């Protein structure tokens, strides 16, 4: 009975790892694809990147130095579905460039 538990746990862990690894790549959205970046600045980590609008309402990824100043902006927590940070895309630093990793 003990070996059955360890096999099931191993299968669960392997499935979780493979699922997370597959989810880290940008997903091809068909004809539209991922939104193109607006900046050619080099990024070193994900926090170097942002959207081109405040409150998760950006449509393209860009470097924080080229992004908007959102320090005085109040967000309303309403977000159209096709915007970057509203559940459709994550903004990441990949190959030293800011990109969007999007889901369908």
């Amino acid at each position: 009975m003990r070996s059955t538990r360890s096999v099931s746990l191993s299968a669960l862990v392997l499935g979780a790892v493979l699922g997370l690894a597959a989810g880290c790549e940008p997903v091809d959205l068909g004809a539209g694809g991922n939104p193109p970046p607006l900046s050619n600045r080099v990024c070193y980590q994900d926090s170097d990147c942002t959207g081109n609008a405040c409150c998760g309402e950006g449509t393209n990824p860009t470097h924080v130095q080229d992004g908007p100043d959102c320090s005085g902006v109040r967000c309303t927590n309403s977000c159209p579905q096709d915007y970057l940070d509203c559940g459709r895309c994550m903004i990441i630093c990949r190959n030293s460039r800011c990109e969007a990793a999007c889901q369908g």
Side-chain angles (χ1 to χ4, degrees), residues 39-72:
S39 175
N40 284 326
R41 289 186 195 263
V42 173
C43 62
Y44 298 98
Q45 55 194 4
D46 292 348
S47 62
D48 292 339
C49 303
T50 188
N52 62 331
C54 300
C55 303
E57 295 182 358
T59 55
N60 296 80
T62 191
H63 194 278
V64 292
Q65 292 180 353
D66 298 324
D69 177 13
C70 300
S71 60

Side-chain angles (χ1 to χ4, degrees), residues 3-96:
S3 66
T4 304
R5 240 186 237 167
S6 65
V7 170
S8 297
L9 181 59
S10 298
L12 179 65
V13 169
L14 180 62
V17 169
L18 291 175
L20 288 173
C24 293
E25 297 294 319
V27 177
D28 183 14
L29 298 176
N34 291 333
L38 298 178
S39 175
N40 284 326
R41 289 186 195 263
V42 173
C43 62
Y44 298 98
Q45 55 194 4
D46 292 348
S47 62
D48 292 339
C49 303
T50 188
N52 62 331
C54 300
C55 303
E57 295 182 358
T59 55
N60 296 80
T62 191
H63 194 278
V64 292
Q65 292 180 353
D66 298 324
D69 177 13
C70 300
S71 60
V73 176
R74 275 192 121 164
C75 299
T76 62
N77 292 330
S78 66
C79 191
Q81 189 174 359
D82 289 336
Y83 286 80
L84 289 174
D85 288 333
C86 300
R88 191 172 87 81
C89 301
M90 290 177 29
I91 301 167
I92 60 171
C93 179
R94 169 178 275 158
N95 298 327
S96 301

